[in-house]
Amino acid sequence: MDRNLFDANAPLREAAEWAGASAVAPRARALGEALAGADAARWAEEAHRYPPVLRTHDRYGNRVDEVDFHPSWHRFMRLAVEHGAHAMPWAEPGPGAHAGRAVLLSLLAQTEPGHCCPISMTYAAVPALRASPELAAVWEPLITAPEYDPGLRPPQEKAGVLVGMAMTEKQGGSDVRANTTAATPSADGTYTLRGHKWFCSAPMNDAFLVLAQAPGGLSCFLLPRVLPDGTRNAIRLQRLKDKLGNRSNASAEIELHDAVAHLVGEEGRGVAHIIEMVNHTRLDCVIATAAGMRQSTVEAVWHAAHRSAFGAKLIDQPLMTQVLADLCVESEAATATMMRLASAYDDPDQAVFRRLATAVAKYCVCKRGPGHAAEALECLGGNGYVEEAPLARRYREQPLLSIWEGSGNVICLDVLRALATRPESAEAFLAEVEPAAAENAGLAAHLKGLKRSLASVEPAGARRLTEDLGLALQASLLIRHSPADVADAFCASRLGPDRGLNYGAVQTKAAAAIVTRHFPG
């Protein structure tokens, strides 16, 4: 189905307006046109069908540590960089820049999510690098350049660079303070890193932010792939992960053999510095999940509109209409959440709100992604359960976004940490959602229970608390910004006493109108 991905997405276009990102519309429309049609769909299929290949040595036995990608991967990377999805808020700062970039990334992730990993990490690296102004002065102009220049060469010889992140190790996982990689100071002010990283995604990026144990404690470093004299840094790619999904994107296990790195910020402040990067990539996990929901929804709706069974189009069968409407509601709630969260990154005065809201949205939206993909796939029946259908890829992709940058329990503990260390974040969050409660009794009742939970927070109840915070935020956004049919359906099925366990379990009389709103034609 050839359709401009931006023009065909009414909830996204409307959210761009109320989130202050209306200026991105021409660029989003151009990108949406480039991603429309059979060519982009074929590129996405090729990028996954022919995954990256690791070459550790050349024909003479010399280490090269390179990864080869299919040309279709490079097509998406070039589109993303040339349209500014990797750096728009830093290259073109101004009102609505983060929200505008969220629109662009969502269009890309809807079509081919794997390449969004290096794009996201590059975007997120800038605020972390700014802890060392001298490093930022060298690297930021290259990071923000709208030029995709693949290949391993000294950064000063490239038109643009990409940045990645490698934090976790075998023995610690999310507990990065258990890292053992050692950082030894050198006479020239650099450090040498010796150790390993268990997960290094996009290993062909030009540099990585990593954590290592310096004399002053766990610290953050910028680790380039190629040194200024053209020699390869001592980063050894051991193997590529054989992942469930996200197969277009390479994720490597690496060893560091006295690799040269630059300290970012102060020794001992590694987590504090790199958390700036992590929070921005968590935002992108929300964006990519919402994009996946949009793809899943439109594939299901389109199929149902063109498939007949039992004497009528599937889309007109009452039970199917209810299921489709519920998928649409979930997708619209996720879109509204990603845009509200992105807009909070545009306003320094909303730092307290976004501290809590980022973790809440990461948990609530990303946790809903896999089930949403499964239900949408089921709408296609057996046709959805084959590799030619994009929903098979999407079904494998969505769990990743809940795992990366903090899986469920890690995120919920971060919610508790935010509430404990920044108690004003709860006040800012409630100030965001309470005005809408006057317009919906279901949300008003939900907020009463939420306030009781906030008064007595317990670690064992962190998941329920985080879920309730997320539902309150999504309900408030739909009440304020979406048609009443959508908001009422969300509140009845997610907040009401008769809520169901599965999509379509709570009947809405406006199902047909909701599906029509999301129809991709």
Side-chain angles (χ1 to χ4, degrees), residues 193-267:
L193 306 190
R194 177 168 285 266
H196 81 282
K197 294 299 170 184
W198 186 234
F199 239 105
C200 176
S201 286
M204 289 298 286
N205 280 8
D206 298 283
F208 299 87
L209 287 176
V210 303
L211 295 176
Q213 299 287 358
L218 189 65
S219 306
C220 181
F221 296 90
L222 180 70
L223 177 71
R225 281 292 320 259
V226 181
L227 300 177
D229 63 2
T231 60
R232 302 284 174 93
N233 207 353
I235 303 168
R236 305 290 183 248
L237 307 187
Q238 299 302 102
R239 63 175 179 170
L240 299 185
K241 300 285 191 182
D242 187 8
K243 296 175 292 186
L244 170 67
N246 195 251
R247 299 185 70 85
S248 66
N249 176 41
S251 298
E253 299 166 17
I254 66 173
E255 289 183 356
L256 308 174
H257 293 255
D258 294 330
V260 177
H262 307 275
L263 179 67
V264 176
E266 305 169 22
E267 279 194 11

Side-chain angles (χ1 to χ4, degrees), residues 113-187:
H115 79 284
C116 295
C117 173
I119 295 300
S120 173
M121 292 189 295
T122 300
Y123 154 72
V126 170
L129 272 178
R130 287 178 175 175
S132 287
E134 69 284 359
L135 275 179
V138 173
W139 285 85
E140 192 170 327
L142 293 169
I143 293 171
T144 57
E147 301 287 339
Y148 177 55
D149 190 359
L152 296 181
R153 302 192 305 283
Q156 69 271 17
E157 297 179 8
K158 302 191 70 173
V161 300
L162 300 171
V163 180
M165 173 170 54
M167 293 196 298
T168 59
E169 298 180 6
K170 297 184 185 80
Q171 72 283 352
S174 296
D175 183 9
V176 295
R177 295 189 186 279
N179 284 8
T180 59
T181 296
T184 303
S186 300

Side-chain angles (χ1 to χ4, degrees), residues 361-382:
K362 167 66 167 72
Y363 179 81
C364 292
V365 173
C366 298
K367 271 289 184 186
R368 296 287 287 175
H372 186 275
E375 190 69 57
L377 184 154
E378 191 173 320
C379 290
L380 276 67

Side-chain angles (χ1 to χ4, degrees), residues 92-107:
E92 307 168 52
H98 286 279
R101 177 192 167 270
V103 172
L104 300 175
L105 188 69
S106 72
L107 298 176

Side-chain angles (χ1 to χ4, degrees), residues 53-68 152 225 232 235-239 255 257:
V53 176
L54 171 62
R55 288 188 295 114
T56 57
H57 296 77
D58 66 14
R59 61 185 292 191
Y60 302 106
N62 301 309
R63 295 232 37 146
V64 292
D65 296 292
E66 294 192 12
V67 179
D68 298 325
L152 296 181
R225 281 292 320 259
R232 302 284 174 93
I235 303 168
R236 305 290 183 248
L237 307 187
Q238 299 302 102
R239 63 175 179 170
E255 289 183 356
H257 293 255

